[in-house]
Amino acid sequence: MNITILGTGMVGQTIAAKLQELGHQITLGTRSVNDTLQRTAANPMTGTSFADWHATHSGIRIAPYQEAATDADLIINATSGAGSLEALRGVGSKALAGKVLLDVANPLDFSKGMPPTLFVCNTDSLGEQIQREFPEARVVKGLNTMNAYLMMNPQLVPGDHTVLLSGNDADAKKEIVRLLNSLGWKEKNIIDLGDISTARGTEMLLPVWIRLWGALGSPEFNFHIARKVPVEAAV
Amino acid sequence: MNITILGTGMVGQTIAAKLQELGHQITLGTRSVNDTLQRTAANPMTGTSFADWHATHSGIRIAPYQEAATDADLIINATSGAGSLEALRGVGSKALAGKVLLDVANPLDFSKGMPPTLFVCNTDSLGEQIQREFPEARVVKGLNTMNAYLMMNPQLVPGDHTVLLSGNDADAKKEIVRLLNSLGWKEKNIIDLGDISTARGTEMLLPVWIRLWGALGSPEFNFHIARKVPVEAAV
């Protein structure tokens, strides 16, 4: 598949590297290709500059948002939540029309200090904001309730644990389930919560996720939905 | 222990019956004892009226809020979130001073239809509101992320799953851990998130909990925090 990832930070890099390894053609979308390639300061999350990372992942194309998305079979929003709508406006509604858009971002607001709050929640969500502004995109919210390394490698945490999906388009969710399966996520650990308004619930997991990171001293954990009656495939 | 439970609905009844079975002296606190005992309509959650329930649990004392709490070793807030502060004002700050108050309520707002939203979240929580208004109470938020039957019987859902605790008073949290142990909750499945402000996170789990109930068709599930490195006891 041609997969375009919006966002060149730790999350975008982690997703890009893994999906390339699985044989996909990867394009990273960014506002300015030159600015991104000239970033030589080390990313505090990865310890590596974008330029150094790209030197070891040279098969990954870098392109401006709109160009990056035009021929994509799948678009993944891995920008920061506060920058997601602006990035998607850079892609444009024409390039988004009809495309499956996996939204892994969260509406984290760091402007009031730590821990971050959410800039939208309870009666709305970032997933819904994106779907409303780009009604022809087939938005699926998912993987936003865990660390990027775990998104791409569920075996990092032993045993069963869960991916929650939200979206209005059943076929788009099926495409994402296939992608998740290829990453090692088992059907029984993928739960379809329903339409995109259920993204409120998954985005609102972030405050406890952040506190769990503090309490456990590591981001290498995930929510598992333990059930009385095990479900073999919930989608 | 003398345990006082505020709230006479399904949650209060379920907690009262189990803790009586474990040998505790139970008092249910209510606004008006007469009104509560004269409730003959079936509770939609239990299918039984309060009067019929009480006839089979006659060892459980019913008393007005303040009287119910005066000699309590432990107070459990099992009122609806929207009525919690009013019920606690009925108890009064004098009867609450120095007492461990386990708050299992959630700030659910049903006034705008289904699914409910939260009447406080993101930058504040019901747990914090209670602790602020009654600074001498030793508030512990916990068990609010699951169904009442599961609170009292973790074996209802097989395998490991998690109770999250929040509170400013370390000794009060230890007392709640001992109570949880007596109910069958293992130390390794109890996570102390930190001070009472971490209750924001656990209360914000409710929107996804409600959607999971819909998606799974049953409330018999719980969040488990799956970890790379298992923790034998997090408290």
Side-chain angles (χ1 to χ4, degrees), chain A residues 4-52:
Chain A
T4 290
I5 298 158
L6 310 176
T8 57
M10 184 273 267
V11 180
Q13 289 176 21
T14 305
I15 297 174
K18 178 67 184 184
L19 294 181
Q20 185 190 37
E21 196 185 303
L22 291 180
H24 299 289
Q25 302 300 312
I26 307 298
T27 305
L28 279 179
T30 186
R31 192 153 29 98
S32 158
V33 173
N34 277 347
D35 286 358
T36 299
L37 288 173
Q38 280 163 21
R39 247 192 269 145
T40 51
N43 178 318
M45 302 286 278
T46 63
T48 310
S49 71
F50 185 85
D52 286 346

Side-chain angles (χ1 to χ4, degrees), chain A residues 117-118 122 156-158 192-193 197-198 201 204-205 208 211-212 215-216 220-228, chain B residues 117-118 122 156-158 192-193 197-198 201 204-205 208 211-212 215 220-228:
Chain A
T117 54
L118 301 181
N122 201 22
L156 264 185
V157 168
D192 180 358
L193 288 175
S197 75
T198 64
M204 288 170 82
L205 286 173
V208 85
R211 295 304 200 142
L212 281 163
L216 303 175
E220 289 177 317
F221 65 86
N222 191 19
F223 299 101
H224 174 58
I225 308 304
R227 286 167 257 184
K228 184 172 179 181
Chain B
T117 54
L118 302 181
N122 201 23
L156 266 184
V157 168
D192 180 357
L193 288 174
S197 74
T198 63
M204 288 171 82
L205 286 172
V208 85
R211 296 303 200 141
L212 281 164
E220 289 175 317
F221 65 85
N222 192 19
F223 299 102
H224 175 58
I225 308 305
R227 286 167 256 185
K228 185 174 180 182

Side-chain angles (χ1 to χ4, degrees), chain A residues 159-208:
Chain A
D160 289 319
H161 44 93
T162 306
V163 183
L164 301 167
L165 297 182
S166 308
N168 298 341
D169 186 311
D171 288 334
K173 284 189 277 196
K174 279 183 196 153
E175 280 190 41
I176 297 303
V177 170
R178 278 193 292 273
L179 181 77
L180 292 172
N181 291 160
S182 76
L183 291 162
W185 290 100
K186 296 174 194 158
E187 295 271 337
K188 68 170 179 176
N189 290 329
I190 303 170
I191 299 178
D192 180 358
L193 288 175
D195 69 30
I196 192 67
S197 75
T198 64
R200 292 174 201 177
T202 67
E203 294 177 7
M204 288 170 82
L205 286 173
L206 264 286
V208 85

